[in-house]
Amino acid sequence: MVNLNASTLQLPLDSNPEAEFHYVWLRDNCNCNECCHSDTKERILVSADIPLDIAASSASLDEQKLKVRWNQSNHVSVYDLSWLSQHDYSQGSFTDDPATSGFMPRVWGREFESSIPTFQYRELYQSDAALRAWCESIRDYGLTIIRGAPSNEGEIERFAEHVGCVRETIYDRLHNVRATPGEYNAYNVASTTLELKPHTDMPNYNNPPGVQMFHFLQNDSVGGESTAVDGAMVVRQLQERDPDAFKILSSTPVRFRMFSDRGDIINSNPLLTLDVNGNLKVFRFSNQLAQPANIAPEQMDAFYRAYRKLGTLVEAPENKVQFRLNTGDIMATNNLRVMHGRNAYDADSGGRHLQLSYMDYDDVLSRLRMLMKK
Ligand code: OGA
Ligand code: ZN
Ligand code: ZN
């Protein structure tokens, strides 16, 4: 039943009659108490110490378990067949993370305006199912609205702590957005009444805050409607329509800077940071924070051509949703993917005051995993 090859072992699993595992991989994943700490389940065995000529001297199947005796130190390892099925990489990479396995972004454009996932603030405290659905919406769509939050100062910071933890930045744990001249954190255009074109926040960080939450304490002015654009949609369009531009923007570093009384953060990263599979990992776009391009002269024209192409897609009406948020509403975005903005507003027509807090995207996925375990 178990075939011993030169460097691999083959066995039939319910999920794959010809599953095949490398000896070195099996040895590395021995879960006996010598190799894994019995309390923490962390690896104690040092992977780099495994001899590369490790091999099974014998192997047998018994009671849904695979037992392997190794040709080194007479060590014995036992694996549940269900565990092997779950981690069978011989037919492609396995997905053993319940929060992200099979994940595909649900990209959207203007039509999404009428179906943005909307939640009731109180339910996110009272119902695990509601909170789980909210986490999933942040993951899948990257844009949600929460209604009915109390208009208390600091409420959004407490909400972040309810879900995960606050991601502190040089704008503090919580920051105010209102057009008050001299406001302590009036470092940027958000503290004016001007339009804010769709952007992601804080692309100047190597790890920008992953989830952004805007709590409207007051919105009585004319104008100031919120806008959002799905970076994943824009990137898909760019990739299809102008692969050269996609290549340039995923490989050319762009410098961003943001400062406050507390700090001054500068970093260079491509606008489109891809993962090892070429999928979008971090989308950065902020007209106001981009610094002078610092690239080779022979690349400058091509860079601006690509940048203009991306900017045109970001501004395209078919990609943009617009909606009005009122006192007690919260907009939450996946800031590694979705851009947000607002229309200009008239400060004389009524007050407008938002408080913002951030979380890391990891904290939302973490909360989702904890809810899935319940
Ligand atoms: C911001 C921002 C949006 C708004 O402060 O970063 O995008 O509605 N504000 O004022
Ligand atoms: Zn072991
Ligand atoms: Zn912003």
Side-chain angles (χ1 to χ4, degrees):
M1 286 287 258
V2 185
N3 260 337
L4 301 185
N5 304 324
S7 62
T8 64
L9 164 162
Q10 261 171 310
L11 80 168
L13 295 173
D14 289 346
S15 53
N16 177 9
E18 296 190 327
E20 185 167 6
F21 299 91
H22 288 79
Y23 293 135
V24 67
W25 184 95
L26 285 169
R27 181 66 192 88
D28 192 27
N29 291 295
C30 179
N31 61 11
C32 80
N33 287 346
E34 249 174 74
C35 296
C36 276
H37 193 278
S38 55
D39 296 332
T40 70
K41 311 296 178 208
E42 290 169 307
R43 184 184 287 104
I44 309 171
L45 164 78
V46 178
S47 304
D49 287 349
I50 301 169
L52 293 178
D53 60 353
I54 187 89
S57 48
S58 66
S60 58
L61 282 175
D62 183 28
E63 306 237 328
Q64 296 300 306
K65 288 182 196 300
L66 167 71
K67 188 171 163 184
V68 179
R69 183 174 295 278
W70 298 105
N71 64 352
Q72 318 261 349
S73 318
N74 221 11
H75 198 77
V76 172
S77 305
V78 179
Y79 309 87
D80 285 334
L81 297 190
S82 59
W83 186 89
L84 288 173
S85 272
Q86 206 184 6
H87 298 88
D88 177 9
Y89 60 90
S90 57
Q91 287 182 314
S93 59
F94 56 81
T95 49
D96 63 349
D97 171 15
T100 58
S101 77
F103 167 71
M104 286 285 281
R106 313 269 293 263
V107 299
W108 46 264
R110 182 172 54 192
E111 76 295 338
F112 190 51
E113 206 168 86
S114 57
S115 56
I116 299 168
T118 302
F119 298 84
Q120 289 301 321
Y121 189 75
R122 210 155 20 102
E123 284 187 17
L124 297 179
Y125 279 83
Q126 292 173 346
S127 154
D128 283 348
L131 186 56
R132 177 172 167 173
W134 181 78
C135 293
E136 287 169 343
S137 292
I138 288 288
R139 179 193 61 189
D140 296 344
Y141 301 99
L143 174 63
T144 67
I145 294 170
I146 302 168
R147 302 214 192 266
S151 333
N152 302 326
E153 299 251 345
E155 189 67 32
I156 198 63
E157 190 180 336
R158 287 188 286 279
F159 179 69
E161 294 292 340
H162 169 60
V163 176
C165 41
V166 171
R167 161 71 189 276
E168 202 166 327
T169 71
I170 57 166
Y171 281 1
D172 303 323
R173 290 170 62 78
L174 171 99
H175 73 273
N176 289 289
V177 175
R178 59 187 156 193
T180 311
E183 173 79 57
Y184 78 100
N185 65 357
Y187 307 112
N188 70 28
V189 64
S191 302
T192 69
T193 60
L194 295 174
E195 177 190 7
L196 290 177
K197 298 269 190 199
H199 62 281
T200 60
D201 268 24
M202 308 204 184
N204 54 307
Y205 279 89
N206 272 328
N207 58 332
V211 177
Q212 172 160 22
M213 294 163 294
F214 308 74
H215 180 206
F216 282 73
L217 287 175
Q218 193 187 9
N219 195 10
D220 297 328
S221 47
V222 173
E225 295 82 7
S226 299
T227 59
V229 175
D230 186 359
M233 172 63 107
V234 163
V235 168
R236 179 176 293 186
Q237 291 168 345
L238 187 71
Q239 207 167 3
E240 281 166 10
R241 298 174 196 175
D242 194 338
D244 286 342
F246 173 81
K247 220 156 140 188
I248 289 168
L249 297 182
S250 55
S251 60
T252 309
V254 173
R255 212 152 45 97
F256 289 100
R257 175 185 185 203
M258 192 188 90
F259 61 90
S260 73
D261 291 348
R262 280 186 70 184
D264 191 351
I265 311 278
I266 304 177
N267 280 296
S268 295
N269 285 288
L271 297 179
L272 318 180
T273 301
L274 308 181
D275 68 16
V276 292
N277 298 314
N279 297 317
L280 181 67
K281 190 166 186 180
V282 182
F283 184 85
R284 289 181 170 84
F285 195 84
S286 176
N287 200 58
Q288 57 267 37
L289 298 184
Q291 301 300 300
N294 191 7
I295 53 182
E298 64 273 18
Q299 291 169 1
M300 197 60 80
D301 282 333
F303 170 74
Y304 269 100
R305 207 176 306 123
Y307 191 25
R308 183 183 162 81
K309 189 85 188 207
L310 179 67
T312 306
L313 292 170
V314 169
E315 282 300 317
E318 69 267 24
N319 285 335
K320 192 188 280 189
V321 294
Q322 177 173 312
F323 45 92
R324 185 170 181 89
L325 295 174
N326 295 307
T327 303
D329 289 342
I330 296 169
M331 172 169 80
T333 65
N334 176 343
N335 186 53
L336 305 180
R337 164 180 163 191
V338 169
M339 289 161 274
H340 63 276
R342 68 148 193 252
N343 293 341
Y345 66 98
D346 174 9
D348 294 333
S349 63
R352 187 180 193 276
H353 180 199
L354 279 66
Q355 290 193 319
L356 262 80
S357 268
Y358 304 94
M359 290 185 288
D360 280 328
Y361 182 55
D362 280 339
D363 289 314
V364 172
L365 292 182
S366 159
R367 187 57 192 264
L368 181 55
R369 287 184 198 104
M370 300 308 281
L371 289 165
M372 284 172 153
K373 276 185 213 169
K374 277 198 175 181

